[in-house]
Amino acid sequence: AAIKISEERLQGLKLTAKLYPLTEGHVYPFQDQTFDLVVAWHVLSHNDSEGLQRTILEIRRVLKLGGILLATFPTLKDHRFVNSKRITDNTYEFIQDGSNQKGIIITMAEFEKDVREIFSTFTNIQVGYSEITIQGMTNSHWLVAAFPEGTMK
Protein backbone atom coordinates (compact mmCIF):
# COMPACT_ATOMS: atom_id res chain seq x y z
CA ALA A 1 0.00 0.00 0.00
CA ALA A 2 2.84 2.43 0.80
CA ILE A 3 4.38 1.92 -2.64
CA LYS A 4 1.04 2.63 -4.32
CA ILE A 5 0.57 5.81 -2.28
CA SER A 6 4.12 6.98 -3.09
CA GLU A 7 3.66 6.31 -6.80
CA GLU A 8 0.40 8.29 -6.77
CA ARG A 9 2.10 11.21 -5.02
CA LEU A 10 4.98 11.18 -7.49
CA GLN A 11 2.56 11.18 -10.44
CA GLY A 12 0.63 14.05 -8.89
CA LEU A 13 3.84 16.07 -8.70
CA LYS A 14 4.83 15.02 -12.23
CA LEU A 15 7.94 13.25 -10.88
CA THR A 16 9.23 9.77 -11.57
CA ALA A 17 11.14 7.32 -9.42
CA LYS A 18 11.59 3.59 -9.23
CA LEU A 19 10.41 2.27 -5.87
CA TYR A 20 11.76 -1.06 -4.66
CA PRO A 21 9.97 -2.75 -1.78
CA LEU A 22 12.06 -5.45 -0.13
CA THR A 23 9.93 -8.52 0.48
CA GLU A 24 10.85 -11.87 1.94
CA GLY A 25 13.30 -13.79 -0.21
CA HIS A 26 14.11 -10.83 -2.45
CA VAL A 27 17.06 -8.49 -2.76
CA TYR A 28 17.38 -4.99 -4.14
CA PRO A 29 18.12 -5.06 -7.88
CA PHE A 30 21.42 -3.25 -7.48
CA GLN A 31 25.02 -4.40 -7.51
CA ASP A 32 27.08 -4.41 -4.32
CA GLN A 33 28.41 -0.99 -3.30
CA THR A 34 26.24 1.02 -5.70
CA PHE A 35 25.17 4.02 -3.58
CA ASP A 36 27.00 6.78 -1.74
CA LEU A 37 23.92 7.56 0.34
CA VAL A 38 20.84 5.64 1.44
CA VAL A 39 18.07 7.57 3.20
CA ALA A 40 15.56 5.54 5.18
CA TRP A 41 13.43 8.22 6.81
CA HIS A 42 10.44 6.89 8.77
CA VAL A 43 10.37 3.58 6.88
CA LEU A 44 12.60 0.95 8.51
CA SER A 45 10.32 0.47 11.48
CA HIS A 46 7.57 -0.89 9.22
CA ASN A 47 9.08 -4.36 9.52
CA ASP A 48 9.09 -7.12 12.06
CA SER A 49 12.53 -7.82 13.58
CA GLU A 50 13.47 -10.37 10.89
CA GLY A 51 12.38 -8.14 8.01
CA LEU A 52 14.21 -5.21 9.57
CA GLN A 53 17.49 -7.12 9.76
CA ARG A 54 17.07 -8.36 6.17
CA THR A 55 16.50 -4.78 5.00
CA ILE A 56 19.48 -3.40 6.92
CA LEU A 57 21.73 -6.11 5.46
CA GLU A 58 20.54 -5.20 1.94
CA ILE A 59 21.16 -1.51 2.58
CA ARG A 60 24.63 -2.37 3.84
CA ARG A 61 25.26 -4.48 0.73
CA VAL A 62 24.37 -1.72 -1.76
CA LEU A 63 26.11 1.07 0.16
CA LYS A 64 29.62 1.99 -1.00
CA LEU A 65 32.56 2.03 1.38
CA GLY A 66 32.74 5.67 2.35
CA GLY A 67 28.95 5.92 2.02
CA ILE A 68 26.38 6.70 4.66
CA LEU A 69 22.98 5.46 5.78
CA LEU A 70 20.75 8.17 7.22
CA ALA A 71 17.76 6.71 9.04
CA THR A 72 15.13 7.34 11.66
CA PHE A 73 13.76 4.79 14.06
CA PRO A 74 10.87 5.32 16.51
CA THR A 75 11.30 5.35 20.27
CA LEU A 76 8.81 4.07 22.81
CA LYS A 77 7.70 7.67 23.38
CA ASP A 78 6.24 7.80 19.85
CA HIS A 79 2.44 8.07 19.62
CA ARG A 80 2.28 4.77 17.75
CA PHE A 81 3.78 2.93 20.73
CA VAL A 82 1.15 4.35 23.06
CA ASN A 83 -1.53 3.00 20.71
CA SER A 84 0.05 -0.41 20.12
CA LYS A 85 0.14 -3.89 21.57
CA ARG A 86 3.40 -5.73 22.02
CA ILE A 87 4.04 -8.76 19.79
CA THR A 88 7.70 -9.50 20.60
CA ASP A 89 10.56 -7.65 22.32
CA ASN A 90 10.66 -4.57 20.10
CA THR A 91 7.81 -5.34 17.69
CA TYR A 92 4.30 -3.94 18.06
CA GLU A 93 0.96 -3.84 16.26
CA PHE A 94 -0.64 -0.41 15.91
CA ILE A 95 -4.22 -0.75 17.17
CA GLN A 96 -5.67 2.77 17.21
CA ASP A 97 -9.24 2.72 15.90
CA GLY A 98 -9.97 5.13 13.07
CA SER A 99 -6.36 5.32 11.91
CA ASN A 100 -5.29 4.45 8.38
CA GLN A 101 -2.32 2.71 10.00
CA LYS A 102 -4.35 0.37 12.20
CA GLY A 103 -2.91 -3.15 12.04
CA ILE A 104 0.57 -2.22 10.81
CA ILE A 105 3.57 -3.88 12.42
CA ILE A 106 6.17 -1.51 13.86
CA THR A 107 9.57 -2.24 15.35
CA MET A 108 10.73 0.36 17.88
CA ALA A 109 13.73 0.88 20.16
CA GLU A 110 13.57 2.05 23.74
CA PHE A 111 17.24 2.72 24.42
CA GLU A 112 20.21 3.88 22.36
CA LYS A 113 21.88 0.50 22.99
CA ASP A 114 18.90 -1.13 21.24
CA VAL A 115 19.42 1.12 18.21
CA ARG A 116 23.10 0.28 18.12
CA GLU A 117 22.27 -3.43 18.25
CA ILE A 118 19.73 -3.11 15.41
CA PHE A 119 22.31 -1.36 13.21
CA SER A 120 25.27 -3.49 14.39
CA THR A 121 26.11 -4.60 10.83
CA PHE A 122 27.66 -1.12 10.54
CA THR A 123 30.94 -0.53 12.37
CA ASN A 124 30.53 3.20 12.92
CA ILE A 125 27.13 4.36 14.15
CA GLN A 126 26.17 7.83 15.34
CA VAL A 127 22.86 8.12 17.17
CA GLY A 128 20.84 11.23 17.98
CA TYR A 129 17.31 11.86 19.21
CA SER A 130 14.39 13.99 18.03
CA GLU A 131 10.99 14.55 19.57
CA ILE A 132 8.14 16.90 18.76
CA THR A 133 4.58 17.10 20.03
CA ILE A 134 1.92 18.73 17.89
CA GLN A 135 -1.73 18.82 18.92
CA GLY A 136 -1.05 16.22 21.63
CA MET A 137 0.59 13.73 19.24
CA THR A 138 4.23 12.96 19.98
CA ASN A 139 6.62 11.91 17.24
CA SER A 140 9.76 10.55 18.86
CA HIS A 141 12.61 9.09 16.82
CA TRP A 142 16.21 8.02 17.00
CA LEU A 143 18.30 9.62 14.26
CA VAL A 144 20.95 7.29 12.85
CA ALA A 145 24.01 7.93 10.73
CA ALA A 146 25.65 4.59 9.95
CA PHE A 147 28.86 4.01 8.04
CA PRO A 148 30.11 0.73 6.51
CA GLU A 149 33.29 -0.95 7.70
CA GLY A 150 36.35 0.93 6.61
CA THR A 151 34.55 4.28 6.63
CA MET A 152 36.04 6.82 9.02
CA LYS A 153 33.68 9.69 9.84
Side-chain angles (χ1 to χ4, degrees):
I3 295 296
K4 181 180 178 188
I5 292 168
S6 295
E7 287 173 343
E8 289 171 357
R9 287 184 178 174
L10 287 169
Q11 289 171 355
L13 295 169
K14 296 183 174 47
L15 298 173
T16 59
K18 185 73 175 165
L19 304 173
Y20 294 98
L22 186 62
T23 57
E24 188 171 342
H26 294 95
V27 296
Y28 290 133
F30 306 109
Q31 294 181 6
D32 294 357
Q33 298 187 22
T34 299
F35 298 101
D36 295 309
L37 173 68
V38 174
V39 178
W41 216 251
H42 296 276
V43 296
L44 292 176
S45 61
H46 294 278
N47 283 286
D48 60 18
S49 294
E50 185 179 311
L52 175 62
Q53 284 309 305
R54 186 173 52 248
T55 301
I56 290 172
L57 286 172
E58 269 301 284
I59 290 171
R60 173 63 188 87
R61 181 185 68 77
V62 301
L63 194 59
K64 290 180 181 177
L65 290 179
I68 182 172
L69 164 64
L70 297 177
T72 60
F73 206 78
T75 77
L76 297 190
K77 293 180 180 179
D78 191 80
H79 71 96
R80 291 171 296 174
F81 169 74
V82 174
N83 296 296
S84 295
K85 69 176 182 180
R86 185 177 181 183
I87 297 172
T88 62
D89 286 344
N90 290 326
T91 304
Y92 301 83
E93 178 184 359
F94 190 64
I95 59 172
Q96 182 177 357
D97 287 331
S99 172
N100 65 347
Q101 293 187 359
K102 184 176 182 180
I104 65 168
I105 302 300
I106 308 167
T107 300
M108 302 184 200
E110 183 171 10
F111 301 108
E112 182 176 332
K113 69 176 182 62
D114 300 325
V115 176
R116 290 184 179 282
E117 183 177 322
I118 289 166
F119 291 90
S120 63
T121 189
F122 291 89
T123 54
N124 184 349
I125 306 163
Q126 297 175 13
V127 180
Y129 178 81
S130 174
E131 181 175 297
I132 187 170
T133 302
I134 299 173
Q135 296 181 343
M137 187 183 318
T138 299
N139 285 285
S140 176
H141 286 81
W142 297 105
L143 307 175
V144 179
F147 308 89
E149 183 176 346
T151 302
M152 303 305 288
K153 296 288 179 187

